[in-house]
Each structure stands twice: as structure tokens, then as C-alpha cells.
Amino acid sequence: MAATINETRVIEAVPPIAVEETEVSEAMQTARYCTLEESLGLIFGALTVGYIVMSLAGLAG
């Protein structure tokens, strides 16, 4: 199990701003990549189904 590290830095600004840096685990990076990949497939599939339905509607009309 990967541990996450939370560190807080203060950026020199007026007023000071605290920035939290969190290490992203390899499993989370893989999950994000797979979600993006699946999203593109879903969009392509929806466009394909829409094209087929519109083509059939055009032939019927």
C-alpha cells in the first residue's frame, strides 16, 4: 500500500498562501489514465450510434 505525503509550504506573498503538495500514488495515476481512455471510447461509440440512427432515419423518411 502506498503512503501519501502531505507537505505544506508557504509562498512569499501578501498575505502568505499555504500550498499543500500531495504525492499521487501510481494506482491513482493509472485510474486517471484508464478513465480518460474509456471516456474517449464512450464519445466515439455515442457518435457512431448517433450516425447509424440518423442514417436509418434518413432512409426511412
Side-chain angles (χ1 to χ4, degrees):
M1 177 193 269
T4 58
I5 300 171
N6 293 330
E7 297 177 4
T8 303
R9 293 186 303 150
V10 176
I11 298 175
E12 294 180 18
V14 179
I17 301 170
V19 177
E20 185 174 319
E21 293 181 6
T22 304
E23 182 180 326
V24 179
S25 69
E26 188 175 338
M28 182 62 77
Q29 290 175 349
T30 303
R32 287 180 183 167
Y33 173 76
C34 290
T35 302
L36 178 63
E37 190 174 298
E38 292 294 324
S39 299
L40 296 176
L42 180 64
I43 292 169
F44 180 73
L47 289 174
T48 303
V49 169
Y51 177 78
I52 292 170
V53 169
M54 294 301 289
S55 296
L56 292 174
L59 288 173

